[in-house]
Structure formats: C-alpha cells, structure tokens
Amino acid sequence: MSRKILHADCDCFYAAVEMRDNPALREVPLAIGGSAEGRGVIATCNYPARAYGIHSAMPTARALRLCPHLTLLRGISIATAKRHARYRRSSTNSPRWWSRCHWTRPFSTSPM
C-alpha cells in the first residue's frame, strides 16, 4: 500500500474562500486584514501575495509597502457579516469532506 500525504494549508483559508467566490482574485496579491491607518495586521493572504514577502501577522502598512497593488479585504467592517457567514459555511463543510476520505487519519493541528 502506498503512503499518501495531504497538506491542507488552512492558513490561507479566508483568502481561499474569497478566491473561490471571486475567481478574478486568484491571480492577484490578496490579503485579509485590518486597516493600515491603525495598527492592523494581515490575518491571511494568498500565494501571489506571499511572493512579495507578505505573511500572517505582518502589519498591514508594511504589507502595502511591500506590495502597493495588494488587494486588501478588511477584516472588520460593516460588510464582513456576510463574509463571515460564508467563512462559517465553508469551515463547517470541511470536516464532512475530511470524514469522507477513507485514507485520512487524525493529525495534529499544532505548529511544528
């Protein structure tokens, strides 16, 4: 029996939901985070944004300096209630998907 290893990048979850719902965001640097005017930080970003050195927990102002054309979706705003509902629906579907995979085994979600 061959061994299969699956890597699920859950750090990119919020960006993945946004890219799924708006395919135009797939190829552009995208981040979800707080305001650059305050002390906002990046919650998550996609791989095109990571190519510019952007990562989770980075100050938003620094991320925008690294990538001035970064598409930033605010983590806290009036419009986020609808977004959070989408995130919630997507995250509750994930365990169902994992449970249908007969080859999966429990694994730790702790950082290495």
Side-chain angles (χ1 to χ4, degrees):
M1 178 176 188
S2 66
R3 183 175 173 181
K4 296 177 179 130
I5 297 174
L6 172 71
H7 171 78
D9 184 0
C10 295
D11 183 47
C12 192
F13 173 75
Y14 298 112
V17 171
E18 296 298 337
M19 291 184 298
R20 179 200 66 196
D21 294 347
N22 183 354
L25 297 173
R26 289 183 181 162
E27 301 301 320
V28 300
L30 169 69
I32 288 84
S35 170
E37 290 79 37
R39 294 178 50 151
V41 296
I42 300 298
T44 188
C45 63
N46 65 0
Y47 287 99
R50 292 177 191 192
Y52 287 88
I54 297 168
H55 56 81
S56 299
M58 173 181 279
T60 303
R62 180 168 182 233
L64 289 169
R65 282 194 303 274
L66 289 172
C67 181
H69 60 285
L70 178 69
T71 300
L72 178 66
L73 298 179
R74 295 286 307 278
I76 300 173
S77 72
I78 305 249
T80 57
K82 289 182 183 178
R83 261 201 243 126
H84 282 284
R86 287 191 344 247
Y87 298 154
R88 192 175 303 109
R89 279 193 308 273
S90 295
S91 69
T92 57
N93 287 335
S94 296
R96 283 186 223 136
W97 184 87
W98 287 106
S99 68
R100 288 194 310 260
C101 296
H102 67 279
W103 44 266
T104 60
R105 294 188 181 146
F107 59 93
S108 172
T109 57
S110 303
M112 302 194 116

